């Protein structure tokens, strides 16, 4: 059994061939990817299958969705041990205005924010926009 299969099974996701391929594709990228990126990489695959795979990965805490302000949802693999909880696993994202890539800055944690009584946080996202190291060099 491969590491990818073990990872998927540990999250109670059946490791089908397509799920393994999508996970490997995302693991090989060091940037967040949009559904269209995955569709282009797997042009012969059914679009619905690709979408459902991403949604399953998101529901099971394998990937997290990033809203980087481009109006295109992007997805990145969660790091080991992440359970995508608001209280513990929030990190910065960086969106490059030049190359349009979005990356997770997992070492840069977002501190806990105390909301007023009666407010319930369901999601949080912090995106820094600028020029990435590849484009600024």
């Amino acid at each position: 059994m491969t590491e990818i299969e073990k990872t998927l099974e540990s999250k109670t996701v059946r490791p089908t061939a397509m799920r393994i391929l999508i996970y490997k594709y995302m693991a090989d990228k060091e940037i967040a990817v949009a559904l269209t990126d995955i569709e282009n990489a797997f042009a012969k695959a059914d679009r619905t299958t690709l979408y459902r795979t991403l949604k399953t990965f998101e529901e099971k805490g394998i990937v997290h969705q990033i809203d980087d302000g481009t109006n295109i949802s992007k997805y990145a693999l969660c790091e080991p041990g992440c359970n995508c909880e608001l209280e513990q696993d929030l990190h910065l994202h960086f969106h490059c205005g030049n190359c349009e890539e979005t990356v997770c800055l997992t070492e840069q944690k977002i501190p806990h924010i105390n909301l007023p009584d009666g407010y319930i946080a369901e999601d949080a996202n912090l995106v820094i926009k600028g020029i990435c190291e590849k484009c600024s060099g």
Side-chain angles (χ1 to χ4, degrees), residues 71-107:
N71 292 327
I72 299 169
S73 291
K74 298 197 178 140
Y75 300 86
L77 289 177
C78 294
E79 55 186 354
C82 171
N83 53 13
C84 290
E85 285 184 11
L86 276 175
E87 301 295 322
Q88 299 172 2
D89 297 310
L90 288 180
H91 57 265
L92 294 178
H93 297 98
F94 187 91
H95 179 76
C96 178
N98 188 49
C99 67
E100 297 294 320
E101 290 183 351
T102 299
V103 296
C104 293
L105 301 176
T106 54
E107 297 299 313

Side-chain angles (χ1 to χ4, degrees), residues 24-74:
K24 183 171 179 0
Y25 171 80
M26 293 182 75
D28 289 343
K29 298 279 180 189
E30 292 187 3
I31 60 171
V33 297
L35 177 59
T36 53
D37 298 326
I38 294 172
E39 289 171 353
N40 292 336
F42 300 98
K44 295 192 183 338
D46 178 52
R47 186 172 200 250
T48 305
T49 300
L50 300 176
Y51 176 78
R52 285 185 184 147
T53 297
L54 271 181
K55 283 297 160 196
T56 298
F57 281 8
E58 188 177 12
E59 289 166 8
K60 298 292 188 171
I62 296 168
V63 302
H64 60 278
Q65 186 176 345
I66 302 163
D67 176 2
D68 62 9
T70 61
N71 292 327
I72 299 169
S73 291
K74 298 197 178 140

Side-chain angles (χ1 to χ4, degrees), residues 113-130:
I113 297 168
N114 291 317
L115 294 174
D117 287 344
Y119 287 77
I120 300 170
E122 294 179 343
D123 189 27
N125 188 30
L126 185 54
V127 178
I128 307 295
K129 296 182 180 192

